[in-house]
Amino acid sequence: MRIVVLAGGIGGARFLRGLKRAVPDAEITVIGNTGDDIHLFGLKVCPDLDTVMYTLGGGINEEQGWGRTDETFHLKEELAAYGVGPDWFGLGDRDFATHIVRTQMMGAGYPLSAVTEALCDRWKPGVRLIPMTDDRVETHVAVTLPDSGSAAGEGERKAVHFQEYWVRLRASVPAEAVVPVGAEHAKPAPGVLEAIAGADVILFPPSNPVVSIGTILAVPGIREAIADAGVPVVGLSPIVGDAPVRGMADKVLAAVGVESTAPAVAEHYGSGLLDGWLVDTVDAACVERVEAAGIRCRAVPLMMTDVDAAARMAREALTLAEEVRAV
Ligand code: FO1
């Protein structure tokens, strides 16, 4: 079975670990979000690609869900001693090596997709990991930063990089708009459209619908290829009981005018894209609403407490895909 999965960072990576356990013989292609990528210290950092690669390759810091296990921070401390920042983004020594290799290869002319393949030669994630595009796309968030000197409601309106919004500001101010800068001119990376066209099933893991899956879908050609693939497309809700399972998805959902509920996210994707949607058992009451929107829906446990739980979720998604196919 050929499965294509659109993935962001932690939620996507943990789901993929479960999917691999559920269907060890499947040929899995992961289309990774690169809108979170950031250039720091002259290096290209790809948090979501690395989170998938480290998680599936056994090198992830399990508690954080991102970065390397057994990490040290000597390089960051040395940079800080020179007054070189930013100090709000935690890059460890082991992780730095990945960004150095990536940046060196890209400087030598290799596209990100080829570099990702080379990095995966070491990590052997057991899936084919492809960035959504080889072109530069950067998610920016429009915010109004409170200005201590001005009256309430006033402040400085600016666009910040997604990582600055997420990590430095901890999504503490409303996201007024989310813009995948450069997406409109980006082309799908080699292999992306081919994988979608050759898939037996396409899955949206419980990743952020706006800044992870939404950004991948913003690359011209990808949304259309999925809608036209003619195979079941099944998603898993990242919202359980009206709150994100992890992270701050509600903040960016508000920016696109979508309420933070499992059915609202399904409707946001729409029946033109999505054939099936899994919600958590606590949201069982919304199954009817999702089905009324033309999307087959089931309520099953959606908390990825361990790899077995993620594997059960993956099996449920594949079962729903077969139900949809049979219709
Ligand atoms: N998330 C944080 O909350 N704080 C960090 O300092 C941080 C550093 C970091 C370094 C490398 C990397 O691959 C990921 C990192 N993340 C960090 C996670 C990342 O910012 C986001 O969770 C994802 O981009 C969202 O998918």
Side-chain angles (χ1 to χ4, degrees):
M1 179 168 33
R2 286 161 304 180
I3 306 175
V4 166
V5 181
L6 271 50
I10 305 172
R14 290 185 175 163
F15 174 76
L16 282 162
R17 204 160 47 177
L19 182 65
K20 273 178 62 188
R21 178 167 295 182
V23 277
D25 297 332
E27 198 184 294
I28 302 170
T29 301
V30 180
I31 301 171
N33 170 42
T34 58
D36 292 20
D37 293 6
I38 186 166
H39 287 77
L40 295 170
F41 311 108
L43 301 175
K44 183 169 174 71
V45 181
C46 300
D48 285 0
L49 295 180
D50 290 349
T51 298
V52 170
M53 186 173 77
Y54 294 156
T55 302
L56 299 184
I60 198 75
N61 177 324
E62 287 289 344
E63 269 158 47
Q64 283 177 166
W66 50 267
R68 290 289 311 279
T69 188
D70 289 330
E71 191 56 290
T72 51
F73 291 87
H74 301 297
L75 183 45
K76 188 169 178 258
E77 284 157 20
E78 289 296 315
L79 289 164
Y82 285 110
V84 174
D87 59 0
W88 49 264
F89 201 71
L91 287 183
D93 300 327
R94 292 181 190 277
D95 198 22
F96 258 115
T98 304
H99 314 315
I100 291 169
V101 173
R102 175 185 290 124
T103 309
Q104 222 170 23
M105 285 189 71
M106 292 184 76
Y110 290 95
L112 180 61
S113 50
V115 175
T116 305
E117 201 178 327
L119 295 172
C120 286
D121 274 348
R122 171 185 174 191
W123 288 101
K124 306 206 175 349
V127 299
R128 180 168 182 221
L129 175 60
I130 320 180
M132 63 189 199
T133 180
D134 279 333
D135 300 319
R136 187 166 169 170
V137 175
E138 245 176 45
T139 302
H140 287 195
V141 182
V143 292
T144 301
L145 297 176
D147 175 354
S148 51
S150 64
E154 288 180 23
E156 185 195 359
R157 188 154 199 270
K158 61 190 275 200
V160 296
H161 189 286
F162 169 72
Q163 295 295 351
E164 189 172 354
Y165 180 71
W166 208 245
V167 176
R168 188 170 84 80
L169 297 171
R170 290 265 155 237
S172 55
V173 290
E176 292 162 17
V178 177
V179 185
V181 178
E184 69 273 31
H185 301 302
K187 289 181 296 302
V192 167
L193 297 181
E194 293 80 352
I196 294 170
D200 297 309
V201 57
I202 299 170
L203 300 178
F204 294 179
S207 289
N208 190 304
V210 181
V211 294
S212 298
I213 295 181
T215 308
I216 300 171
L217 294 172
V219 175
I222 295 187
R223 175 187 288 271
E224 298 77 359
I226 293 172
D228 294 346
V231 295
V233 180
V234 171
L236 297 91
S237 176
I239 307 288
V240 169
D242 300 350
V245 177
R246 181 179 313 96
M248 301 160 282
D250 48 334
K251 306 287 179 168
V252 285
L253 276 168
V256 295
V258 176
E259 66 182 22
S260 186
T261 66
V265 174
E267 288 161 1
H268 171 64
Y269 286 130
S271 61
L273 193 63
L274 211 55
D275 303 301
W277 186 241
L278 291 179
V279 300
D280 190 83
T281 43
V282 303
D283 296 311
C286 77
V287 168
E288 237 173 88
R289 170 172 161 192
V290 176
E291 296 218 317
I295 299 165
R296 186 170 283 249
C297 185
R298 296 283 174 270
V300 299
L302 286 189
M303 301 304 280
M304 287 192 282
T305 42
D306 55 24
V307 184
D308 281 335
R312 283 193 291 275
M313 287 165 52
R315 280 188 208 101
E316 294 285 3
L318 294 174
T319 302
L320 184 54
E322 290 318 310
E323 270 183 43
V324 165
R325 200 193 306 276
V327 175

